[in-house]
Amino acid sequence: MSDATSLIFGRLGWDALPFWSMLDDHSAMSIINGVIATGAAGMVVLGILAAIVLVTWLGKWKYLWSKWLTSPDHKKIGIMFIVIALVMLSRAIIEAVFMRAQQAVGLDGGFLTAEHFGELFTTHGTIMIFFMAMPFLTGIINYVMPLQIGARDLSFPVMNQISLGLTAAGAALTMISLVLAPFSTGGWTGYPPFTELSYNPGAGVDYWLWAVTLSTLSSTLTGINFAVTIFKKRAPGMTLFRMPLFTWTALCTAILMIFGMPPLTVATGLLALDRYLDFHMFTTDLGGNMMNYVNLLWAFGHPEVYILILPPFGIFSEIFATFSGKRIYGYKILVIATMCIAILSFTVWLHHFFTMGQSAHINAAFGIATMLIGIPTGVKVYDWMLTMYRGRIRLSVPMVYAIGFIMLFVLGGMTGIILATPSVDYQVHNSLFLIAHFHNMLIPGLLFGMLSATNFWFPKAFGFRLEERWGYRAAFCWIIGFMLAFFPLYVLGLMGMPRRSVAYFEPQYVPWMITAGIGALVILAALLCLLIQLWVSIRDRHANNVFAGDPWDGRTLEWGISSPPPEYNFPVIPEIYSIDAFMTEKDRGQGWQAPDRYDDIEMPANSAMGVIIGITGLAMAFGLTWYMWWLVIGAGLVTLVAVIARGFGRTTTRTIAACEVQRTHEHWLEQVRLTHPIDRSLEQTTSNHGRPVPPIEGAVQ
């Protein structure tokens, strides 16, 4: 490569194309892997082109720019976070199916090379944690939390846009690695020294490094935004112990983000110094110590587990109460349990590396701390069951996910207590037993929680319910597929099969791996059911319209406004007098009211900062990955200019006139009056248009 070409393209060459290797190596294995990689790259390129053509054909570029990409509305930003999560979930599931297929035939060597298999398990883990789980829970909290506390938006709307832009940039960089390969083979944890330049000089580790860094920066900003919003923007009368449980878990999650994300940002930054500037933070020579990286990673890693789990705990608390027709049992105990989990999550990180050389006394201390964290979690499970006890339970789609969660999560928690014993952990560490355990926590916990929340709050966001038949099919496929895919891994782990094995030599592994492969196909079917459910729901949206806003006979503030809500959320900020504020008002016959007066509402103006930071962040990360220094410098300068220009901006808000607010609200109240109220038993039929039977005559005033 000439100097001029190197200056422009850095180390990016033709060999980065996914089909390039099979042009040199004509072996069957090389061709199969090249075809798979090229097919994946083609899907990304065709997907992007299809999206561009569709938006152009519909003439929606201006609408997309003004109503979505530059909107500071927390609801639209939340939806965009969720869209990113669902796109990345689709890729990660497809990768998981390929890994399980390889392991099912791994006794004979299989069809994937070790290098390709390494890329698959690295991208799968990285995507599921940083670009599926984090955007999904961030999107749900973004949408729901301000509505639950009676706020008009988050405290820092532009920061919210920037958080979205950074997450989108990290996800885009991960997708680009399919087209301009390869990605890292160092696992989602990126342990040195394998990820150091001397052992892994290619661009793959740098893709991982900058994608993760963008994600952690986004989550840190998000945590600050959520915490400040909950502390400062609650409606009058909403004391901390009148907040919904979902908001409580969002608050604890935000605090964990603020203190848990920076250690990983520091770790990836120091690793970057090693790779780019020849520092020796984690190298095997010249004073480097890789254990410093391990401690920094897991100082993030175990709070991260509860960043992922606490929001679903809040979601399930809302769902058990709503679909049992009861107030949540033990509200204050659940709040205290949530705070205990959040605090204890910072005291257990070392159980991730019991085998790495520290003394038995230290291992014992962290093992005890790990067992202690099971106590407040167990309290939550009992409170959820007592909420259902003698309740009028409706087995809706969200409730199916919630019940599946309780059964499977308890089993996963039991294996966690087993692994908290250092002597046991020594036997199964880095085996498939560990893989089964953490998937047993994160799929029933995090993913079932997010899918349950999607079915629960989708009517609020879009004004129509999701179709139930395909929802049930998806839920049962997820539950059954999970058990088939991961329960065999417990057995394989106890039989001694290591994690990340591309091939093996023990014939007794084969039946269990085939069963796990069938489970992966059932999970793929669950994903297809979700897509069909969405398509059928959009097709039948008019029949399932719930504009009146309360399809589930909800208990909290978000159900007391239209579906979808206006951009300002509430015509007048509500006053709160109890827990389950909206249910209390319905019980008093005052569920839907017109305020005494309407005032002008000031809302944040549109801003392009999120888009600019997302694009420049992606450009900088791509330039750093491929050593295109002109791109890094250029993108950095654009970022600096944009931030300075934003500081000189004076039109940062806009006003919605009181007459417009009044017209919108009174139109909605009239629609509520015209909507026929339905009993809870009919809430899954087309009779449900968002108004439950009021317990007292005159509930609509």
Side-chain angles (χ1 to χ4, degrees), residues 253-421:
T253 299
I255 294 169
L256 293 180
M257 285 180 176
I258 293 168
F259 293 102
M261 288 293 169
L264 181 58
T265 309
V266 170
T268 56
L270 294 176
L271 183 59
L273 291 176
D274 280 4
R275 290 183 61 85
Y276 286 83
L277 296 178
D278 200 27
F279 279 48
H280 294 276
M281 298 294 180
F282 311 126
T283 58
T284 53
D285 61 355
L286 299 175
N289 187 342
M290 67 192 78
M291 285 306 298
N292 290 335
Y293 178 92
V294 174
N295 277 279
L296 282 170
L297 174 79
W298 292 114
F300 142 83
H302 210 80
E304 168 70 3
V305 170
Y306 291 97
I307 289 171
L308 302 182
I309 290 299
L310 285 179
F313 283 178
I315 290 164
F316 290 129
S317 296
E318 303 291 338
I319 286 168
F320 284 126
T322 299
F323 292 107
S324 298
K326 290 174 60 179
R327 177 174 289 187
I328 192 74
Y329 182 89
Y331 169 85
K332 288 190 177 179
I333 295 298
L334 283 167
V335 170
I336 293 168
T338 300
M339 291 190 284
C340 288
I341 290 170
I343 293 168
L344 287 171
S345 71
F346 287 101
T347 68
V348 297
W349 80 90
L350 192 134
H351 72 216
H352 291 277
F353 49 97
F354 277 146
T355 60
M356 291 191 180
Q358 56 278 347
S359 72
H361 296 89
I362 293 175
N363 281 353
F366 279 89
I368 292 168
T370 303
M371 294 179 187
L372 287 175
I373 209 167
I375 296 173
T377 306
V379 167
K380 283 179 173 286
V381 172
Y382 281 112
D383 279 356
W384 291 325
M385 291 192 294
L386 288 168
T387 299
M388 291 187 285
Y389 177 65
R390 301 187 72 176
R392 289 177 291 176
I393 295 173
R394 294 108 72 199
L395 283 176
S396 62
V397 175
M399 196 67 165
V400 171
Y401 280 114
I403 293 171
F405 153 76
I406 279 190
M407 294 187 297
L408 296 173
F409 190 82
V410 168
L411 291 174
M414 291 169 61
T415 62
I417 298 300
I418 292 171
L419 288 170
T421 307

Side-chain angles (χ1 to χ4, degrees), residues 582-600:
F582 183 51
M583 182 59 76
T584 301
E585 293 301 302
K586 288 191 290 186
D587 289 343
R588 293 173 178 170
Q590 301 173 346
W592 295 269
Q593 301 180 68
D596 296 331
R597 56 172 289 179
Y598 295 89
D599 295 315
D600 293 347

Side-chain angles (χ1 to χ4, degrees), residues 621-633:
F622 185 79
L624 285 164
T625 298
W626 291 105
Y627 298 173
M628 298 179 184
W629 306 120
W630 61 270
L631 184 59
V632 177
I633 295 168

